[in-house]
């Protein structure tokens, strides 16, 4: 029996669960609002969160794509970050604009985010910026709502630091995680109709098109249910992203060839301060590990354990290119959060401990962003 069969707790119990869910949604919305507003305040524009970039002695993608930038766009002299490439791709998809990317296969492989948010560019460049900010927020709040019968899991989702990081940097990871959770609540519901489960797998497929780390769930589902025909649905959810990778020429193997384990060993040889970012990841993983081991028996627990492994082993094997940048390495750990959510369907206090720690993690991320001094010019 799946843990996701909603308990029959009566009207009073349902009222308490709805109250819990509302509080989780409000706090998540507040954290998202802060994540979006801090770079906007510091740069004078919501587009500051996208991190358009230009290096004086290196690539200047903001200049190369100047024709599609919003008016008075803040451009970071540090070179910016990945959010800018989703913005450029959206302009290509919906306006047919000529754009320049740092790696065509790598960037186009994550088509989901710009495809979902990009139609707003038909209105104006700033409409696209708002769309890239608000659609992931809406998906995040919907994902929390889908867990309303399981308050521990809802709070783990609401306060996970990776969604807040993604919101702050206009990245696909937060939207991918939310879509995956919306799919999982349907897929693991033993009482769900075939149509509801089909919708769940479609959501998982779209999540994979947003970010490849979401493949961890269908793979874990297949490994746990090898003797069940339901694995055919999981396999089908992986086909769109595989076909798209073939079309774009993206290879996850090539992406992994940049180095094995060198980054982690380099980091532990010269660790930074505990509250700088990367040091906060390890207690998060440790708490999720405890949640996984003390959660109730059944296939959901096995899926949670596999997701924990999927979110821990690959990052530990990542190159220095990832470990040298907090945002780069943090996003590789996102399957850990999905594992925590799945294991939190079962009652245990460690889920609340993880939520409390996650709240501290989020505030440290926001404080880190507030203290940053962006060096920007207006294009």
């Amino acid at each position: 029996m799946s843990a996701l069969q909603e308990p029959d707790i009566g009207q009073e119990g349902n009222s308490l669960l709805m109250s819990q869910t509302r509080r989780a949604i409000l706090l998540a919305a507040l954290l998202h609002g802060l994540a979006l507003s801090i770079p906007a305040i510091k740069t004078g524009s919501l587009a500051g969160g996208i991190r358009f970039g230009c290096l004086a002695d290196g690539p200047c993608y903001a200049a190369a794509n100047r024709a599609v930038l919003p008016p008075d766009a803040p451009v970071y002299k540090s070179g910016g970050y990945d959010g800018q490439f989703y913005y450029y791709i959206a302009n290509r998809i919906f306006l047919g604009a000529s754009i320049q990317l740092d790696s065509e296969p790598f960037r186009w492989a994550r088509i989901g985010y710009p495809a979902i948010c990009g139609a707003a560019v038909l209105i104006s460049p700033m409409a696209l910026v708002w769309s890239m900010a608000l659609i992931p927020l809406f998906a995040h709040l919907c994902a929390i709502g889908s867990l309303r019968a399981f308050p521990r899991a809802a709070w783990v989702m609401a306060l996970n630091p990776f969604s807040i990081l993604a919101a702050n940097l206009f990245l696909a990871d937060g939207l991918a995680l939310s879509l995956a959770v919306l799919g999982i609540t349907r897929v693991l519901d033993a009482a769900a109709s075939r149509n509801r489960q089909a919708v769940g797998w479609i959501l998982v497929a779209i999540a994979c098109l947003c970010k490849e780390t979401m493949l961890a769930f269908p793979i874990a589902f297949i490994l746990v249910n090898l003797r069940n025909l339901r694995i055919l649905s999981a396999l089908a959810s992986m086909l769109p992203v595989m076909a798209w990778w073939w079309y774009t020429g993206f290879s996850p193997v090539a992406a992994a060839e940049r180095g094995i384990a060198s980054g982690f060993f380099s980091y532990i040889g010269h660790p930074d301060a505990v509250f700088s970012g990367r040091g906060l990841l390890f207690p998060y993983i440790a708490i999720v590990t405890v949640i996984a081991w003390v959660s109730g028996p059944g296939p959901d627990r096995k899926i949670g354990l596999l997701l924990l492994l999927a979110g821990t082993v690959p990052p530990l094997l990542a190159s220095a290119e990832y470990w040298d940048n907090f945002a780069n390495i943090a996003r590789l750990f996102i399957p850990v959060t999905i594992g925590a959510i799945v294991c939190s369907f079962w009652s245990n206090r460690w889920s609340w401990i993880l939520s409390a720690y996650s709240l501290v993690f989020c505030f440290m991320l926001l404080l880190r962003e507030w203290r940053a001094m962006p060096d920007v010019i207006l294009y």
Side-chain angles (χ1 to χ4, degrees):
M1 180 179 293
S2 172
L4 264 181
Q5 282 187 294
E6 295 191 8
D8 184 10
I9 55 177
Q11 186 174 354
E12 183 178 352
N14 282 328
S15 297
L16 290 173
L17 291 178
M18 288 303 298
S19 177
Q20 287 267 15
T21 304
R22 282 194 292 269
R23 286 198 290 268
I25 287 174
L26 287 173
L27 186 51
L30 173 62
L31 292 171
H32 262 77
L34 290 172
L36 293 168
S37 63
I38 291 174
I41 292 169
K42 286 181 169 289
T43 63
S45 171
L46 183 66
I50 294 182
R51 266 70 172 187
F52 299 111
C54 187
L55 288 171
D57 299 322
C60 186
Y61 295 105
N65 298 288
R66 191 165 192 164
V68 302
L69 295 184
D72 296 324
V75 174
Y76 288 71
K77 295 181 181 179
S78 61
Y81 202 58
D82 294 0
Q84 63 181 321
F85 299 112
Y86 297 114
Y87 178 93
Y88 301 146
I89 288 173
N91 277 270
R92 174 62 178 172
I93 295 171
F94 291 95
L95 295 180
S98 176
I99 60 170
Q100 182 176 324
L101 307 173
D102 58 346
S103 170
E104 292 278 338
F106 187 76
R107 299 302 175 185
W108 280 101
R110 300 165 179 174
I111 191 66
Y113 183 31
I116 291 170
C117 302
V121 77
L122 298 171
I123 302 173
S124 72
M126 280 306 298
L128 173 58
V129 174
W130 279 99
S131 177
M132 291 175 67
L134 296 181
I135 288 179
L137 170 58
F138 177 73
H140 185 65
L141 301 183
C142 287
I144 299 168
S146 73
L147 295 165
R148 61 189 176 278
F150 306 93
R152 293 168 180 80
W155 279 104
V156 170
M157 178 63 191
L159 302 178
N160 86 84
F162 308 111
S163 291
I164 304 306
L165 176 66
N168 180 247
L169 296 170
F170 281 67
L171 301 173
D173 305 76
L175 178 59
L177 174 59
S178 297
L179 291 172
V181 170
L182 284 167
I184 289 168
T185 57
R186 290 159 171 81
V187 168
L188 296 184
D189 185 354
S193 65
R194 288 185 179 181
N195 288 341
R196 180 175 168 81
Q197 293 216 352
V199 170
W201 284 117
I202 290 171
L203 289 167
V204 171
I206 298 172
C208 294
L209 285 166
C210 289
K211 192 64 186 291
E212 63 276 4
T213 48
M214 296 304 106
L215 283 166
F217 174 72
I219 292 173
F221 185 91
I222 290 168
L223 292 175
V224 171
N225 296 279
L226 285 174
R227 297 181 181 181
N228 192 320
L229 287 178
R230 293 177 67 197
I231 67 170
L232 297 177
S233 298
L235 287 168
S237 74
M238 298 168 64
L239 291 179
V241 71
M242 297 299 180
W244 181 248
W245 285 357
W246 175 82
Y247 178 75
T248 59
F250 173 73
S251 169
V253 176
E257 287 176 348
R258 296 177 179 177
I260 299 296
S262 58
F264 176 66
F265 289 124
S266 175
Y267 170 71
I268 61 175
H270 303 87
D272 49 11
V274 172
F275 294 112
S276 66
R278 291 174 292 183
L280 293 169
L281 291 167
F282 299 104
Y284 186 92
I285 296 164
I287 298 170
V288 175
T289 301
V290 175
I291 290 173
W293 282 111
V294 302
S295 62
D300 293 344
R301 177 178 181 268
K302 294 178 182 178
I303 290 174
L305 286 168
L306 288 172
L307 288 168
L308 173 62
L309 289 174
T312 304
V313 176
L316 295 180
L317 299 178
S319 67
E321 179 180 342
Y322 290 94
W323 277 96
D324 288 347
N325 183 295
F326 166 67
N328 284 353
I329 193 60
R331 290 182 289 155
L332 292 182
F333 285 99
I334 287 181
V336 171
T337 292
I338 307 178
I341 290 169
V342 171
C343 290
S344 294
F345 296 151
W346 298 87
S347 175
N348 66 75
R349 67 180 181 274
W350 284 93
S351 299
W352 296 118
I353 294 173
L354 179 65
S355 297
Y357 181 78
S358 297
L359 182 60
V360 174
F361 200 153
C362 289
F363 276 117
M364 293 305 300
L365 288 179
L366 295 171
L367 180 62
R368 182 173 177 264
E369 176 65 19
W370 180 254
R371 289 178 172 176
M373 299 297 293
D375 188 7
V376 301
I377 55 176
L378 300 183
Y379 266 40

